[in-house]
Amino acid sequence: MSTPLLRLYPAGFRRAFGDEIAEAYREATEGAGRIARLREAGDIAAHALRLRLRLGSAHRGGRLFAAAAPFALAATAAYAAFGLVSMISDWRLSGNPDFLVPLSYVMIGCDLVTLTGAVLALGGHFAAGARCAFAGALALAVALVAVPLSAGLLPPLPFAPYLLAPVAVAALPLACPPDLRPSGRFRSTAGRAALLLWTPLAVSALALTDVDSHLSAVLWRLGAPLAAALLLAGRPALAGLRTNGQYALAGAPFVAMGYAAGVVDQDTLAPALAVLAAGAVALRLWRLRGRDSGTARPD
């Protein structure tokens, strides 16, 4: 194994386990092609970076990101579905003038990639799904900046948080340690295929639903996908929230996505935080009730 890869590790870890890592790398890449060697080197670099940032499964930071990962994926899926539903619905109601703009196709494609990745990650294919969701969110942000720049227009600076919030939320699951990744609820290939088939049908159904007011439309288009994503994350995601810090980081993606969708602003931030606080209290009571029922003995 090359010395530069080993030097990525902290000195103490390198002294203790350097020979084992080098031997494992040699066995994994013996007779392998260039892509396989690059993949192994990437895994080692990612592992070393986790240790340096104290984001491994043995560190508090790693457990923190692992607990928040399903909720970040749920928020990412909901926001991507919100973008798709809003664009398709607006196209249907307005007779389509903006739909033929090239940027519209790019936005739809990026949202589809993001939604597919987030659903896959929640369904059980975590690593590939989380990377796919992040790639879609990042590509959308880049496109929303690059296209105006190519036309000689400079996006306004206040627009930056709207671009960065979805990317930051989509990046959060990537910090989850590999051995703490959620297993997902659809472990078979058929189950995941059915889930991916159901997702666009649900988006289409939302897009075809008429809503009276703009606020109701936003809440419906964002709230319905969010509820579905949280159901997909399931009870294990809630069971993973054991500390106030984990709950706070798990709740932050919903505030960020609500901000990016135009639901959370200066007037609605306090109510949104109040809802999160109420959820924390409810989760704590649920845990205490489960603990009491688990330790109670029959007479």
Side-chain angles (χ1 to χ4, degrees):
M1 179 179 179
S2 61
T3 303
L5 277 177
L6 279 178
R7 285 178 178 172
L8 294 176
Y9 283 98
F13 189 90
R14 188 168 64 245
R15 286 192 297 268
F17 302 103
D19 293 339
E20 296 179 20
I21 296 172
E23 180 62 21
Y25 177 80
R26 186 191 64 78
E27 293 179 356
T29 58
E30 186 175 5
R34 180 179 298 179
I35 295 179
R37 291 197 300 270
L38 286 175
R39 186 185 301 115
E40 289 296 329
D43 290 342
I44 288 175
H47 183 229
L49 181 61
R50 290 182 188 282
L51 291 180
R52 285 195 176 274
L53 297 178
R54 302 188 65 81
L55 292 178
S57 57
H59 302 120
R60 181 178 299 177
R63 295 191 295 271
L64 180 69
F65 281 102
F71 299 95
L73 288 169
T76 297
Y79 185 70
F82 168 78
L84 285 170
V85 171
S86 298
M87 186 166 291
I88 296 173
S89 181
D90 292 346
W91 163 67
R92 179 177 67 88
L93 295 176
S94 65
N96 129 10
D98 295 331
F99 192 71
L100 296 178
V101 176
L103 181 58
S104 300
Y105 289 112
V106 174
M107 293 172 66
I108 287 178
C110 291
D111 281 334
L112 277 174
V113 170
T114 303
L115 178 60
T116 301
V119 168
L120 266 180
L122 288 171
H125 212 332
F126 184 93
R131 291 169 187 155
C132 181
F134 174 71
L138 181 61
L140 178 58
V142 171
L144 289 175
V145 173
V147 172
L149 284 177
S150 65
L153 301 174
L154 185 64
L157 188 60
F159 188 56
Y162 292 94
L163 295 177
L164 295 178
V167 176
V169 172
L172 191 153
L174 300 179
C176 176
D179 50 341
L180 293 182
R181 290 168 179 168
S183 59
R185 305 179 67 182
F186 293 84
R187 299 185 180 181
S188 67
T189 301
R192 292 169 189 165
L195 184 63
L196 291 179
L197 178 63
W198 170 85
T199 300
L201 293 177
V203 168
S204 301
L206 283 174
L208 295 175
T209 303
D210 293 323
V211 185
D212 296 335
S213 67
H214 174 71
L215 179 60
S216 298
V218 171
L219 293 175
W220 171 245
R221 294 170 185 174
L222 187 62
L226 181 57
L230 287 174
L231 284 175
L232 183 58
R235 187 171 179 174
L238 283 176
L241 300 179
R242 302 181 180 277
T243 67
N244 292 334
Q246 290 173 346
Y247 183 86
L249 186 59
F254 302 119
V255 177
M257 290 308 193
Y259 171 77
V263 177
V264 176
D265 55 20
Q266 292 181 352
D267 297 328
T268 56
L269 178 60
L273 294 178
V275 170
L276 288 177
V281 172
L283 182 62
R284 173 64 94 180
L285 293 176
W286 175 63
R287 284 194 173 284
L288 290 175
R289 181 181 178 184
R291 188 181 305 167
D292 292 341
S293 62
T295 56
R297 297 181 179 178
D299 294 335

